[in-house]
Amino acid sequence: MKQFVFAVLTRLSLGAMVMATGVAHAEVVVVGSKQIPFTQISKTKLRDLYTGQSQLVGDAKVLVIDREDTFDRREQFISRTLGFTSEEFATVQRLMECIGISKAPTVADNSQHMVEMLSNNPNALGYLSRDELENHPLGAKLQHIKVLAE
């Protein structure tokens, strides 16, 4: 069963990398608290964190924060940053949960909640629109995390 799931994940990831036109969209940025112990992350590691395959970056356990489906830029993050369609992303998350090796990301209720969780947790990782990052009073407690191409 696990081999089947990993085969599916590999095919989706490879297809996503071929179809993805870029690492990130100008409107959405990956961010973490200023205390998070890294300033860059590979696209593969970010994908593993958001699908629940991993909770670690190096030795640091990361609190992964996602957005509600209604967040208008969530689709941009999933497709342009993670390289999945929304359907593929949901399928991978469900597969990982079914085999019991996943931890779904924490979901922020809204932009304010996302910024608060990111700024109050030293190992939190999430994404914001560039405007949210630059214009929120707590934005100064956050840093941009560069997503590296594979």
Side-chain angles (χ1 to χ4, degrees):
M1 177 67 173
K2 283 187 179 183
Q3 291 175 339
F4 169 75
V5 171
F6 288 113
V8 170
L9 292 174
T10 301
R11 286 186 182 182
L12 287 172
S13 294
L14 289 174
M17 285 192 283
V18 170
M19 296 180 69
T21 58
V23 173
H25 188 271
E27 292 292 312
V28 178
V29 293
V30 176
V31 295
S33 73
K34 291 243 180 183
Q35 294 83 29
I36 204 161
F38 55 90
T39 58
Q40 56 188 21
I41 189 168
S42 73
K43 188 173 186 174
T44 299
K45 178 49 89 172
L46 187 64
R47 193 180 294 127
D48 289 349
L49 290 169
Y50 270 90
T51 58
Q53 294 179 64
S54 175
Q55 294 179 12
L56 299 173
V57 175
D59 293 333
K61 187 170 182 176
V62 177
L63 172 64
V64 179
I65 306 172
D66 199 357
R67 305 293 294 254
E68 291 282 341
D69 290 338
T70 56
F71 177 62
D72 61 348
R73 293 191 182 97
R74 184 173 189 265
E75 175 66 31
Q76 290 176 357
F77 173 74
I78 291 170
S79 65
R80 297 188 184 199
T81 304
L82 298 180
F84 289 117
T85 65
S86 292
E87 294 80 21
E88 290 170 338
F89 183 63
T91 299
V92 171
Q93 283 185 317
R94 281 192 299 272
L95 281 171
M96 299 308 292
E97 289 172 11
C98 284
I99 62 173
I101 60 170
S102 133
K103 180 185 181 310
T106 299
V107 177
D109 297 331
N110 53 45
S111 296
Q112 177 68 25
H113 188 216
M114 171 66 91
V115 172
E116 287 172 0
M117 284 194 295
L118 286 167
S119 60
N120 292 330
N121 186 310
N123 286 336
L125 181 73
Y127 58 96
L128 298 167
S129 70
R130 188 169 298 283
D131 289 344
E132 288 173 314
L133 178 61
E134 293 173 356
N135 296 323
H136 196 284
L138 294 175
K141 291 185 173 186
L142 306 177
Q143 66 176 323
H144 178 263
I145 306 296
K146 181 178 180 180
V147 179
L148 304 173
E150 301 307 316

